[in-house]
Amino acid sequence: MKKSVFIGALALAGVSGGMAAAGTLDDVKARGTLNCGVSTGLVGFAAPDANGEWQGFDVAVCRAVAAAVLGDASAVEFVPTTGKTRFTALASGEIDMLARNTTWTFSRDVDLKFEFVGVNYYDGQGFMVPAELGVSSAKDLDGATVCIQTGTTTELNLADFFRANGISYEPVPIETNAEAQPLYLEGACDVYTTDASGLAATRAAFEDPSAHVVLPEIISKEPLGPLVRHGDNEWGDIVRWTLNALITAEELGVTSDNVADKAAAADPATPEINRLLGTEGTLGEMLGLDAQWAVRALSVSGNYAEIFEDNIGESTAIGLARGLNASYTDGGLLYSPPFR
Amino acid sequence: MASITDPPSESFKLSQLLSDTRYRSYTFQFIALIALIAAFAYLLSNLFQNLAAAGLDISFGFLSEPAGYDINQRLIEYTSQSTHWRAAVVGVLNTLLVAVVGCFFATIIGVLVGVLRLSNNWIVSRLMSVYVEIFRNVPVLIWILIIMAVFVSVLPQPRDFRGEDASASMFLDMFAFTGRGFYLPRPYFTAEFAAGATGWLIVLALLVGSFFGARALSKWATDTQERTGDRPTTWYLTLAIWFVPLIIAMFVMGLAWEMPELKGFNFKGGIFARNSFIALTFALAIYTAAFIAENVRAGILAVSKGQTEAAASLGLRPNRIMSLVVLPQALRVIIPPLISQYLNLTKNSSLAIAVGYMDVTGTLGGITLNQTGRAIEAVLLLMLFYLTISLTISLLMNVYNNSIKLKER
Amino acid sequence: MSDTTTSFVRTEMLPEQEPPASQSGAIKWIRDNLFSDVLNSILTLIAIYIIFQIVTGVWPWISNGVWNTSSLAECREVLDGATGGCFSVLTERWNQLLFGFKYPPEEYWRPIVAFILLFAAAAPVMFIMFLPKKLLVFTAIYPFLAFWLIWGGTILTPVFAAVGLVVGYLVYANLVRNSFAAGFFGGIAAAFVTWWISGFITAAIGPDFMALEAVPSRDMGGFMLNMILGVVCVSLSLPIGIVLALGRQSDMPLIKWICVVFIEFIRGVPLITLLFVANVVLAYFFPPGSSIDLILRVIIMITAFSSAYIAEVIRGGLAALPKGQYEAADSLGLDYPQAMRLIILPQALKISIPGIVNVAVGLFKDTTLVSVISMFDLVGMIRGPILASTEWNGVYWELWSFAVVLFFVVCYGISQYSQWLERQLATDHR
């Protein structure tokens, strides 16, 4: 606050001339906190708990980056963003990275000038309907009233899907997931559509989840991932490789429990773990961080599998199966480039 | 020797720029101009620096690209393949629809409440005061959300109409009041020559004709009155002029009603007034009506009591006093604030976004902005639209104010 | 002549008789006020019916309300089918409704103290005719105190901000005798120099000097956010509004033109578009690398919005002054700043106070619009975290009634004050 007041004063005085934009990494280090854009509240992915602490799958990525860069997983300022504000917040520098179930698409990458650093969740758009309607396929939805979250790719997929199948529908656009919930529950719309993971999370928050079914059709590819601004590749690399470190750690069996042991001394039998944890090689320095960066990132909430299980996995209320999001060694799509 | 005093030399000193009132205003304006230019240059240079850093540019090319999304309420043809520009136009029309319907109801409710508030019926005037105070002192956004919540949670949903032992039923088998909106019967013409819009054009033409007919009739009555002193009774003729052609036309064109029917997930057929539209319009109308009622009351009170008494002493009956003496004078006071209330209602209609009504803020400033990421361009266009409406209405108001200005001697 | 005078007239008055029952007391009042003719009787009956419906509908809901359950399901269980409100959502989420969900709970006393002090600070201004002028000193201190209380951090920041203003004012007061312009610009320069120096002093003493736990603006929420936005924006927009109004009345065409364009532009667009600007556009206009947080951007836009409206109210006040006042000031040889400061503005502002209060009420109501741009004010809290939570899914009536009552109390209170003030001021003019 104080800093911004002074900047405002400087701006008024017209003193600040051509302030060269420093790299995001330097900004974050100077500020001491990471500004991370998250959704305004989607249980399991990013939502404040009863104490106002942000929890969730996307939140964990932010914390891992903060731990890697700043050494403190709590040095994150979570900025809730809606579908409307997320891209401007990132483009204008209000946030350093966006981890808000954002679908990686061509136009967002190329036209909006963002850099998707990877995929942390392979998703697809699905439909949820009350079980009592007895609908078994999305193709039966002719004439239905559909609640959609505006500003998302789901809105466009939906239009395409219904047009392609030659059936009609009545869209009810809604700004946030929180507002969609009561409308759907009260029956103001027959169908709620969003990413399948979001449907599961929403359904889990219902009083009686079993009264609602998620239809089998998945009508789109929705690779969700964190993103940063174009043009700052050093920062992009840090976020990308922090995410890759989480994925690789699962593959290599590094967990939050054993990361400290493994990082204590280099084990000649596992060279890639050594490189990852900085006991061998200089990967951390190449990133502009220190050797321990991945150790810190992994100590926060563990590797990808642990984060998944803690927040959205089958043991939680949301109960998502790994499915496509299993490591490639288990038949999923998660595949991190090697740490070398 | 007459010594001639030199006229004070006109040499210009720099300090005069500040101390001499002749030049000082130029100095200030010059400084202001420089400051203005500097401020703009500063902001714009920031803008371009930021945009360049983000690799973006400013372009309105997105307006001609396909929008890709659907809009539920569209007054003109629109599909997801139409352009963003067309989506914006659909939104503009939806805004205007809410504004016009909202102003209409706000005026009716407002005038009624304003007059009742002055009524000598104690309980009624108190009730109206309570209404005015409650609605004026709570944000309109809260009213919109409350009415929407009532709509969604209190009224039955289409699924409640289904089945043998449905918990809800249609009113008179013609109207369905559901949480998704009201379904009303839709009139249409069966005759071939009057299919579609043609029939309604014919109706419109008839109404215009009747209007001029009624005016001619009233002029004839006035002329007769001036000539003879007696005003011929014309009310039944007026009624006939208005209704006979219309009724005949309805028969000729074969008026029929399309009833809403429960089919599949929703009612089909008839006119569908969406819950978001009704909630928004109704909330704006009752909120603005509270302000209008105050204007009406102030306007009526502004007419001095002497006017009423003078009219009464001329032997005018109370309703003639109201229509001939009080109202014409009160209107002069009421109309300017009334128009600015209309303007407020139009601007407040941008809160449509809170209930998902697709007005121009929802299409251009909402989905288009989201999908294209063209925030600056979209917000700029949005502001221009509202500015155009405001300035147009202010212009009309100025014209009106000048036309009713008291012609003072 | 007889000395006995027989009087035809009673010497004492007859005792007054009671008026007939139909012409007095409650019956007459009822006849006159409720049933004077057919139409009135019908209206009365309709009104009574409406009141009856409302009371019988609302009363059991309130009297049967449940205040101490932890979720809607539990509350419905307690009610067991009977009509009644689940007011426990208010007790359970009380702090969230008032302070948002991120303000540290152990620091709640700070905004509460700031809120109570607000009355102490506002009273000298609101009742300026009854209270000693010296109390205005507290009003002047209040903004800095409130800033420190609500945002926390070291006390040095607000103290030096205040010192800067005082230094600026002293310089202004010394220089203004020579020329207003010199005083004005000198004062501003002095203030900036003081702030610049104080930056070093703060850095030297350290950020922990008499520090309260710092709370970032992002963590403000609930009704507190509405209050902060309302109070801050109205107080900031007053001086700006005065300047704009004077500018619009100015005979310097360029300055007039700038003010007219600004005022008409702001008044021509809905607040929500300005909030969009704050939300998605404004950040592009700040120098690269600076980050001005959302609440500050919103304050900038709302202040611009309300100053345009206040400028119009004050312009009305200026226009209502008799021309003689301007001419009298001129004939005394006062220059423009003196005339404005000593003659015109005190009178014009006095006339415009009711109008300004109305703008303030309107603005306070409009602060709820920030919920549309994902800020968690009272409305935002209700629509977002509370109604979407598993426990309280679908508790509309209780929450919205609470919001209605809260806003009604504040706004009605202020507008009653405004009417009282109007009566006070009206007597002065007669």
PDB file of all heavy atoms in Angstrom, chain A residues 84 112-113 143 145 151-152 155 163 169-171 186-188 190, chain B residues 54-55 68 70 72 81 157 180 266 274 358 365 367 370-372:
ATOM      1  N   LYS A  84     -13.750 -12.650 -16.832  1.00  0.00           N
ATOM      2  CA  LYS A  84     -13.521 -11.386 -17.518  1.00  0.00           C
ATOM      3  C   LYS A  84     -12.174 -10.780 -17.168  1.00  0.00           C
ATOM      4  O   LYS A  84     -11.480 -10.259 -18.019  1.00  0.00           O
ATOM      5  CB  LYS A  84     -14.637 -10.404 -17.149  1.00  0.00           C
ATOM      6  CG  LYS A  84     -14.341  -9.004 -17.646  1.00  0.00           C
ATOM      7  CD  LYS A  84     -15.431  -8.035 -17.264  1.00  0.00           C
ATOM      8  CE  LYS A  84     -16.604  -8.216 -18.166  1.00  0.00           C
ATOM      9  NZ  LYS A  84     -17.837  -7.731 -17.707  1.00  0.00           N
ATOM     10  N   LEU A 112      -3.777 -13.391 -27.844  1.00  0.00           N
ATOM     11  CA  LEU A 112      -3.758 -12.652 -26.580  1.00  0.00           C
ATOM     12  C   LEU A 112      -2.360 -12.558 -25.996  1.00  0.00           C
ATOM     13  O   LEU A 112      -2.166 -11.935 -24.957  1.00  0.00           O
ATOM     14  CB  LEU A 112      -4.696 -13.324 -25.559  1.00  0.00           C
ATOM     15  CG  LEU A 112      -6.173 -13.336 -25.900  1.00  0.00           C
ATOM     16  CD1 LEU A 112      -6.967 -13.896 -24.739  1.00  0.00           C
ATOM     17  CD2 LEU A 112      -6.663 -11.952 -26.233  1.00  0.00           C
ATOM     18  N   LYS A 113      -1.399 -13.199 -26.615  1.00  0.00           N
ATOM     19  CA  LYS A 113       0.018 -13.094 -26.222  1.00  0.00           C
ATOM     20  C   LYS A 113       0.266 -13.608 -24.805  1.00  0.00           C
ATOM     21  O   LYS A 113       0.766 -12.878 -23.959  1.00  0.00           O
ATOM     22  CB  LYS A 113       0.502 -11.639 -26.320  1.00  0.00           C
ATOM     23  CG  LYS A 113       0.084 -10.923 -27.574  1.00  0.00           C
ATOM     24  CD  LYS A 113       1.025 -11.217 -28.712  1.00  0.00           C
ATOM     25  CE  LYS A 113       0.700 -10.323 -29.902  1.00  0.00           C
ATOM     26  NZ  LYS A 113       0.781 -11.026 -31.168  1.00  0.00           N
ATOM     27  N   GLY A 143     -33.760 -28.146 -26.723  1.00  0.00           N
ATOM     28  CA  GLY A 143     -34.687 -27.222 -26.088  1.00  0.00           C
ATOM     29  C   GLY A 143     -34.398 -26.951 -24.627  1.00  0.00           C
ATOM     30  O   GLY A 143     -35.152 -26.245 -23.966  1.00  0.00           O
ATOM     31  N   THR A 145     -32.642 -25.508 -21.171  1.00  0.00           N
ATOM     32  CA  THR A 145     -32.033 -24.263 -20.707  1.00  0.00           C
ATOM     33  C   THR A 145     -30.703 -24.600 -20.055  1.00  0.00           C
ATOM     34  O   THR A 145     -30.656 -25.435 -19.154  1.00  0.00           O
ATOM     35  CB  THR A 145     -32.960 -23.580 -19.690  1.00  0.00           C
ATOM     36  OG1 THR A 145     -34.231 -23.399 -20.312  1.00  0.00           O
ATOM     37  CG2 THR A 145     -32.416 -22.248 -19.278  1.00  0.00           C
ATOM     38  N   GLY A 151     -17.316 -16.060 -20.567  1.00  0.00           N
ATOM     39  CA  GLY A 151     -15.905 -15.718 -20.623  1.00  0.00           C
ATOM     40  C   GLY A 151     -15.014 -16.940 -20.653  1.00  0.00           C
ATOM     41  O   GLY A 151     -13.821 -16.848 -20.472  1.00  0.00           O
ATOM     42  N   THR A 152     -15.602 -18.115 -20.863  1.00  0.00           N
ATOM     43  CA  THR A 152     -14.796 -19.326 -20.896  1.00  0.00           C
ATOM     44  C   THR A 152     -14.915 -19.956 -22.271  1.00  0.00           C
ATOM     45  O   THR A 152     -15.796 -19.592 -23.059  1.00  0.00           O
ATOM     46  CB  THR A 152     -15.296 -20.339 -19.857  1.00  0.00           C
ATOM     47  OG1 THR A 152     -16.651 -20.652 -20.182  1.00  0.00           O
ATOM     48  CG2 THR A 152     -15.258 -19.758 -18.471  1.00  0.00           C
ATOM     49  N   GLU A 155     -18.375 -21.661 -23.348  1.00  0.00           N
ATOM     50  CA  GLU A 155     -19.436 -20.936 -24.019  1.00  0.00           C
ATOM     51  C   GLU A 155     -19.391 -21.165 -25.533  1.00  0.00           C
ATOM     52  O   GLU A 155     -20.406 -21.373 -26.186  1.00  0.00           O
ATOM     53  CB  GLU A 155     -19.206 -19.463 -23.724  1.00  0.00           C
ATOM     54  CG  GLU A 155     -20.382 -18.597 -23.870  1.00  0.00           C
ATOM     55  CD  GLU A 155     -20.085 -17.267 -23.197  1.00  0.00           C
ATOM     56  OE1 GLU A 155     -18.937 -16.810 -23.266  1.00  0.00           O
ATOM     57  OE2 GLU A 155     -20.999 -16.703 -22.613  1.00  0.00           O
ATOM     58  N   ARG A 163     -24.914 -26.488 -32.440  1.00  0.00           N
ATOM     59  CA  ARG A 163     -25.062 -26.192 -33.860  1.00  0.00           C
ATOM     60  C   ARG A 163     -24.724 -27.441 -34.678  1.00  0.00           C
ATOM     61  O   ARG A 163     -25.425 -27.801 -35.618  1.00  0.00           O
ATOM     62  CB  ARG A 163     -24.142 -25.030 -34.255  1.00  0.00           C
ATOM     63  CG  ARG A 163     -24.421 -24.456 -35.620  1.00  0.00           C
ATOM     64  CD  ARG A 163     -23.791 -23.079 -35.741  1.00  0.00           C
ATOM     65  NE  ARG A 163     -22.367 -23.117 -35.449  1.00  0.00           N
ATOM     66  CZ  ARG A 163     -21.431 -23.317 -36.371  1.00  0.00           C
ATOM     67  NH1 ARG A 163     -21.771 -23.480 -37.637  1.00  0.00           N
ATOM     68  NH2 ARG A 163     -20.164 -23.344 -36.042  1.00  0.00           N
ATOM     69  N   TYR A 169     -31.089 -24.696 -27.911  1.00  0.00           N
ATOM     70  CA  TYR A 169     -30.963 -24.564 -26.465  1.00  0.00           C
ATOM     71  C   TYR A 169     -31.125 -23.114 -26.103  1.00  0.00           C
ATOM     72  O   TYR A 169     -31.096 -22.237 -26.953  1.00  0.00           O
ATOM     73  CB  TYR A 169     -29.613 -25.091 -25.984  1.00  0.00           C
ATOM     74  CG  TYR A 169     -28.436 -24.220 -26.326  1.00  0.00           C
ATOM     75  CD1 TYR A 169     -27.760 -23.501 -25.345  1.00  0.00           C
ATOM     76  CD2 TYR A 169     -28.010 -24.101 -27.637  1.00  0.00           C
ATOM     77  CE1 TYR A 169     -26.687 -22.693 -25.667  1.00  0.00           C
ATOM     78  CE2 TYR A 169     -26.937 -23.291 -27.958  1.00  0.00           C
ATOM     79  CZ  TYR A 169     -26.277 -22.597 -26.975  1.00  0.00           C
ATOM     80  OH  TYR A 169     -25.231 -21.801 -27.294  1.00  0.00           O
ATOM     81  N   GLU A 170     -31.298 -22.880 -24.809  1.00  0.00           N
ATOM     82  CA  GLU A 170     -31.473 -21.519 -24.314  1.00  0.00           C
ATOM     83  C   GLU A 170     -30.325 -21.248 -23.338  1.00  0.00           C
ATOM     84  O   GLU A 170     -30.304 -21.793 -22.241  1.00  0.00           O
ATOM     85  CB  GLU A 170     -32.831 -21.424 -23.621  1.00  0.00           C
ATOM     86  CG  GLU A 170     -32.942 -20.375 -22.562  1.00  0.00           C
ATOM     87  CD  GLU A 170     -33.725 -19.169 -23.034  1.00  0.00           C
ATOM     88  OE1 GLU A 170     -34.295 -19.237 -24.127  1.00  0.00           O
ATOM     89  OE2 GLU A 170     -33.718 -18.174 -22.295  1.00  0.00           O
ATOM     90  N   PRO A 171     -29.357 -20.416 -23.747  1.00  0.00           N
ATOM     91  CA  PRO A 171     -28.222 -20.185 -22.858  1.00  0.00           C
ATOM     92  C   PRO A 171     -28.563 -19.203 -21.739  1.00  0.00           C
ATOM     93  O   PRO A 171     -29.261 -18.232 -21.958  1.00  0.00           O
ATOM     94  CB  PRO A 171     -27.160 -19.588 -23.782  1.00  0.00           C
ATOM     95  CG  PRO A 171     -27.928 -18.952 -24.875  1.00  0.00           C
ATOM     96  CD  PRO A 171     -29.218 -19.698 -25.015  1.00  0.00           C
ATOM     97  N   GLU A 186     -32.141 -24.461  -8.161  1.00  0.00           N
ATOM     98  CA  GLU A 186     -33.551 -24.085  -8.097  1.00  0.00           C
ATOM     99  C   GLU A 186     -34.295 -24.474  -9.373  1.00  0.00           C
ATOM    100  O   GLU A 186     -35.495 -24.277  -9.475  1.00  0.00           O
ATOM    101  CB  GLU A 186     -33.699 -22.580  -7.871  1.00  0.00           C
ATOM    102  CG  GLU A 186     -33.093 -22.072  -6.575  1.00  0.00           C
ATOM    103  CD  GLU A 186     -33.962 -22.385  -5.367  1.00  0.00           C
ATOM    104  OE1 GLU A 186     -35.013 -23.018  -5.555  1.00  0.00           O
ATOM    105  OE2 GLU A 186     -33.579 -21.990  -4.257  1.00  0.00           O
ATOM    106  N   GLY A 187     -33.550 -24.928 -10.366  1.00  0.00           N
ATOM    107  CA  GLY A 187     -34.214 -25.369 -11.587  1.00  0.00           C
ATOM    108  C   GLY A 187     -34.400 -24.287 -12.615  1.00  0.00           C
ATOM    109  O   GLY A 187     -35.143 -24.463 -13.576  1.00  0.00           O
ATOM    110  N   ALA A 188     -33.730 -23.132 -12.441  1.00  0.00           N
ATOM    111  CA  ALA A 188     -33.832 -22.094 -13.459  1.00  0.00           C
ATOM    112  C   ALA A 188     -33.111 -22.524 -14.726  1.00  0.00           C
ATOM    113  O   ALA A 188     -33.321 -21.948 -15.784  1.00  0.00           O
ATOM    114  CB  ALA A 188     -33.266 -20.782 -12.951  1.00  0.00           C
ATOM    115  N   ASP A 190     -31.889 -26.341 -16.788  1.00  0.00           N
ATOM    116  CA  ASP A 190     -31.953 -27.792 -16.730  1.00  0.00           C
ATOM    117  C   ASP A 190     -30.567 -28.392 -16.638  1.00  0.00           C
ATOM    118  O   ASP A 190     -30.377 -29.454 -16.056  1.00  0.00           O
ATOM    119  CB  ASP A 190     -32.620 -28.329 -18.001  1.00  0.00           C
ATOM    120  CG  ASP A 190     -34.000 -27.770 -18.184  1.00  0.00           C
ATOM    121  OD1 ASP A 190     -34.811 -27.941 -17.269  1.00  0.00           O
ATOM    122  OD2 ASP A 190     -34.254 -27.147 -19.225  1.00  0.00           O
TER     123      ASP A 190
ATOM    124  N   ALA B  54       3.329  -6.070 -23.685  1.00  0.00           N
ATOM    125  CA  ALA B  54       2.495  -7.266 -23.711  1.00  0.00           C
ATOM    126  C   ALA B  54       2.312  -7.777 -25.134  1.00  0.00           C
ATOM    127  O   ALA B  54       1.674  -8.795 -25.346  1.00  0.00           O
ATOM    128  CB  ALA B  54       1.139  -6.971 -23.087  1.00  0.00           C
ATOM    129  N   GLY B  55       2.860  -7.047 -26.109  1.00  0.00           N
ATOM    130  CA  GLY B  55       2.742  -7.482 -27.498  1.00  0.00           C
ATOM    131  C   GLY B  55       1.344  -7.312 -28.056  1.00  0.00           C
ATOM    132  O   GLY B  55       0.953  -8.012 -28.977  1.00  0.00           O
ATOM    133  N   GLY B  68     -19.288 -16.407 -32.151  1.00  0.00           N
ATOM    134  CA  GLY B  68     -19.093 -17.755 -31.650  1.00  0.00           C
ATOM    135  C   GLY B  68     -19.939 -18.124 -30.453  1.00  0.00           C
ATOM    136  O   GLY B  68     -19.947 -19.263 -30.039  1.00  0.00           O
ATOM    137  N   ASP B  70     -23.836 -17.773 -28.284  1.00  0.00           N
ATOM    138  CA  ASP B  70     -25.261 -17.572 -28.510  1.00  0.00           C
ATOM    139  C   ASP B  70     -25.809 -16.572 -27.516  1.00  0.00           C
ATOM    140  O   ASP B  70     -25.298 -16.432 -26.416  1.00  0.00           O
ATOM    141  CB  ASP B  70     -26.004 -18.903 -28.358  1.00  0.00           C
ATOM    142  CG  ASP B  70     -25.779 -19.806 -29.538  1.00  0.00           C
ATOM    143  OD1 ASP B  70     -26.105 -19.383 -30.661  1.00  0.00           O
ATOM    144  OD2 ASP B  70     -25.272 -20.922 -29.349  1.00  0.00           O
ATOM    145  N   ASN B  72     -29.493 -15.457 -25.700  1.00  0.00           N
ATOM    146  CA  ASN B  72     -30.836 -16.031 -25.553  1.00  0.00           C
ATOM    147  C   ASN B  72     -31.932 -15.095 -26.044  1.00  0.00           C
ATOM    148  O   ASN B  72     -32.844 -15.500 -26.728  1.00  0.00           O
ATOM    149  CB  ASN B  72     -31.087 -16.497 -24.123  1.00  0.00           C
ATOM    150  CG  ASN B  72     -30.709 -15.448 -23.104  1.00  0.00           C
ATOM    151  OD1 ASN B  72     -30.590 -14.273 -23.433  1.00  0.00           O
ATOM    152  ND2 ASN B  72     -30.523 -15.865 -21.881  1.00  0.00           N
ATOM    153  N   GLN B  81     -22.786 -17.594 -35.466  1.00  0.00           N
ATOM    154  CA  GLN B  81     -21.867 -17.289 -36.558  1.00  0.00           C
ATOM    155  C   GLN B  81     -21.860 -15.808 -36.923  1.00  0.00           C
ATOM    156  O   GLN B  81     -21.067 -15.365 -37.746  1.00  0.00           O
ATOM    157  CB  GLN B  81     -22.246 -18.110 -37.806  1.00  0.00           C
ATOM    158  CG  GLN B  81     -22.072 -19.589 -37.616  1.00  0.00           C
ATOM    159  CD  GLN B  81     -20.691 -19.923 -37.102  1.00  0.00           C
ATOM    160  OE1 GLN B  81     -19.692 -19.699 -37.770  1.00  0.00           O
ATOM    161  NE2 GLN B  81     -20.612 -20.425 -35.861  1.00  0.00           N
ATOM    162  N   GLN B 157     -40.925 -24.219 -11.461  1.00  0.00           N
ATOM    163  CA  GLN B 157     -40.133 -24.406 -12.674  1.00  0.00           C
ATOM    164  C   GLN B 157     -40.942 -25.240 -13.661  1.00  0.00           C
ATOM    165  O   GLN B 157     -41.885 -25.918 -13.258  1.00  0.00           O
ATOM    166  CB  GLN B 157     -38.822 -25.118 -12.321  1.00  0.00           C
ATOM    167  CG  GLN B 157     -37.950 -24.348 -11.369  1.00  0.00           C
ATOM    168  CD  GLN B 157     -37.479 -23.022 -11.936  1.00  0.00           C
ATOM    169  OE1 GLN B 157     -37.565 -22.781 -13.134  1.00  0.00           O
ATOM    170  NE2 GLN B 157     -37.002 -22.141 -11.074  1.00  0.00           N
ATOM    171  N   ARG B 180     -38.454 -19.506 -14.857  1.00  0.00           N
ATOM    172  CA  ARG B 180     -37.601 -19.106 -15.978  1.00  0.00           C
ATOM    173  C   ARG B 180     -38.166 -17.923 -16.721  1.00  0.00           C
ATOM    174  O   ARG B 180     -37.525 -17.399 -17.630  1.00  0.00           O
ATOM    175  CB  ARG B 180     -37.456 -20.266 -16.952  1.00  0.00           C
ATOM    176  CG  ARG B 180     -36.620 -21.362 -16.391  1.00  0.00           C
ATOM    177  CD  ARG B 180     -36.438 -22.490 -17.339  1.00  0.00           C
ATOM    178  NE  ARG B 180     -35.893 -23.617 -16.597  1.00  0.00           N
ATOM    179  CZ  ARG B 180     -35.817 -24.833 -17.076  1.00  0.00           C
ATOM    180  NH1 ARG B 180     -36.255 -25.082 -18.287  1.00  0.00           N
ATOM    181  NH2 ARG B 180     -35.317 -25.784 -16.339  1.00  0.00           N
ATOM    182  N   ASN B 266     -38.934 -27.296 -21.797  1.00  0.00           N
ATOM    183  CA  ASN B 266     -39.481 -25.963 -21.594  1.00  0.00           C
ATOM    184  C   ASN B 266     -40.854 -25.839 -22.203  1.00  0.00           C
ATOM    185  O   ASN B 266     -41.282 -26.712 -22.945  1.00  0.00           O
ATOM    186  CB  ASN B 266     -38.579 -24.919 -22.262  1.00  0.00           C
ATOM    187  CG  ASN B 266     -37.393 -24.585 -21.413  1.00  0.00           C
ATOM    188  OD1 ASN B 266     -37.526 -24.447 -20.204  1.00  0.00           O
ATOM    189  ND2 ASN B 266     -36.254 -24.484 -22.035  1.00  0.00           N
ATOM    190  N   ARG B 274     -38.291 -13.537 -20.413  1.00  0.00           N
ATOM    191  CA  ARG B 274     -37.320 -14.222 -19.551  1.00  0.00           C
ATOM    192  C   ARG B 274     -37.313 -13.683 -18.128  1.00  0.00           C
ATOM    193  O   ARG B 274     -37.591 -12.508 -17.905  1.00  0.00           O
ATOM    194  CB  ARG B 274     -35.939 -14.074 -20.138  1.00  0.00           C
ATOM    195  CG  ARG B 274     -35.573 -15.221 -20.992  1.00  0.00           C
ATOM    196  CD  ARG B 274     -34.305 -14.992 -21.754  1.00  0.00           C
ATOM    197  NE  ARG B 274     -34.328 -15.901 -22.887  1.00  0.00           N
ATOM    198  CZ  ARG B 274     -35.047 -15.699 -23.964  1.00  0.00           C
ATOM    199  NH1 ARG B 274     -35.767 -14.611 -24.072  1.00  0.00           N
ATOM    200  NH2 ARG B 274     -35.063 -16.569 -24.935  1.00  0.00           N
ATOM    201  N   MET B 358     -28.827 -10.214 -21.327  1.00  0.00           N
ATOM    202  CA  MET B 358     -27.827  -9.894 -22.329  1.00  0.00           C
ATOM    203  C   MET B 358     -28.058  -8.514 -22.931  1.00  0.00           C
ATOM    204  O   MET B 358     -28.485  -8.372 -24.055  1.00  0.00           O
ATOM    205  CB  MET B 358     -27.845 -10.957 -23.432  1.00  0.00           C
ATOM    206  CG  MET B 358     -27.224 -12.248 -22.995  1.00  0.00           C
ATOM    207  SD  MET B 358     -25.428 -12.142 -22.952  1.00  0.00           S
ATOM    208  CE  MET B 358     -25.129 -11.945 -21.241  1.00  0.00           C
ATOM    209  N   GLY B 365     -19.620  -5.646 -23.541  1.00  0.00           N
ATOM    210  CA  GLY B 365     -18.745  -5.444 -22.387  1.00  0.00           C
ATOM    211  C   GLY B 365     -18.538  -6.717 -21.593  1.00  0.00           C
ATOM    212  O   GLY B 365     -17.806  -6.732 -20.614  1.00  0.00           O
ATOM    213  N   ILE B 367     -19.252 -10.809 -22.825  1.00  0.00           N
ATOM    214  CA  ILE B 367     -18.725 -11.994 -23.496  1.00  0.00           C
ATOM    215  C   ILE B 367     -17.718 -11.625 -24.585  1.00  0.00           C
ATOM    216  O   ILE B 367     -16.653 -12.224 -24.675  1.00  0.00           O
ATOM    217  CB  ILE B 367     -19.890 -12.830 -24.075  1.00  0.00           C
ATOM    218  CG1 ILE B 367     -20.894 -13.146 -22.964  1.00  0.00           C
ATOM    219  CG2 ILE B 367     -19.367 -14.087 -24.673  1.00  0.00           C
ATOM    220  CD1 ILE B 367     -22.051 -13.969 -23.408  1.00  0.00           C
ATOM    221  N   ASN B 370     -14.541 -10.772 -23.005  1.00  0.00           N
ATOM    222  CA  ASN B 370     -13.875 -11.964 -22.478  1.00  0.00           C
ATOM    223  C   ASN B 370     -13.228 -12.779 -23.573  1.00  0.00           C
ATOM    224  O   ASN B 370     -12.123 -13.250 -23.437  1.00  0.00           O
ATOM    225  CB  ASN B 370     -14.895 -12.875 -21.790  1.00  0.00           C
ATOM    226  CG  ASN B 370     -15.362 -12.299 -20.497  1.00  0.00           C
ATOM    227  OD1 ASN B 370     -14.688 -11.469 -19.928  1.00  0.00           O
ATOM    228  ND2 ASN B 370     -16.516 -12.725 -20.049  1.00  0.00           N
ATOM    229  N   GLN B 371     -14.009 -12.997 -24.651  1.00  0.00           N
ATOM    230  CA  GLN B 371     -13.540 -13.944 -25.655  1.00  0.00           C
ATOM    231  C   GLN B 371     -12.435 -13.366 -26.508  1.00  0.00           C
ATOM    232  O   GLN B 371     -11.582 -14.105 -26.980  1.00  0.00           O
ATOM    233  CB  GLN B 371     -14.707 -14.405 -26.542  1.00  0.00           C
ATOM    234  CG  GLN B 371     -15.802 -15.125 -25.791  1.00  0.00           C
ATOM    235  CD  GLN B 371     -15.332 -16.429 -25.173  1.00  0.00           C
ATOM    236  OE1 GLN B 371     -14.172 -16.806 -25.264  1.00  0.00           O
ATOM    237  NE2 GLN B 371     -16.231 -17.118 -24.492  1.00  0.00           N
ATOM    238  N   THR B 372     -12.463 -12.048 -26.743  1.00  0.00           N
ATOM    239  CA  THR B 372     -11.443 -11.486 -27.608  1.00  0.00           C
ATOM    240  C   THR B 372     -10.295 -10.887 -26.817  1.00  0.00           C
ATOM    241  O   THR B 372      -9.230 -10.652 -27.365  1.00  0.00           O
ATOM    242  CB  THR B 372     -12.021 -10.389 -28.494  1.00  0.00           C
ATOM    243  OG1 THR B 372     -12.530  -9.362 -27.646  1.00  0.00           O
ATOM    244  CG2 THR B 372     -13.146 -10.912 -29.356  1.00  0.00           C
TER     245      THR B 372
END
